[in-house]
Amino acid sequence: TELTTHPVEVVLQGQVIAATSAQRLSQLPGVYLVTVAVPARVAPGLDVPLRIRQSGIESNAVPVSIR
């Protein structure tokens, strides 16, 4: 694995959260492992859109469940 050189952010329920870590997986080209601590202020829900942002570019949304 290799750490990213540009900060990675997670956008969850419109809130920007700094990633705890972001690593490029060398054995899977184009795949990153992003770790984030979800703050208590994020409301629970099903199919909550999550996006990854790096250098001002956002990924497509992925639905996640927050409990």
Side-chain angles (χ1 to χ4, degrees), residues 1-9 18-26 30-35 52-55:
T1 59
E2 179 182 322
L3 295 176
T4 61
T5 55
H6 298 285
V8 174
E9 300 171 319
T20 306
S21 70
Q23 300 174 349
R24 186 170 58 172
L25 301 179
S26 59
V31 176
Y32 288 74
L33 173 64
V34 178
T35 307
I52 304 296
R53 182 188 298 161
Q54 186 177 31
S55 300

Side-chain angles (χ1 to χ4, degrees), residues 39-54:
R41 68 181 183 271
V42 173
L46 301 174
D47 296 329
V48 176
L50 179 142
R51 289 181 168 83
I52 304 296
R53 182 188 298 161
Q54 186 177 31

Side-chain angles (χ1 to χ4, degrees), residues 5 7-8 12 15-16 19-20 26-27 29 31 35 37-38 46 57-58 60-61 65-66:
T5 55
V8 174
L12 187 60
Q15 300 178 50
V16 179
T20 306
S26 59
Q27 66 274 27
V31 176
T35 307
V38 178
L46 301 174
I57 300 171
E58 278 192 13
N60 294 329
S65 296
I66 307 291

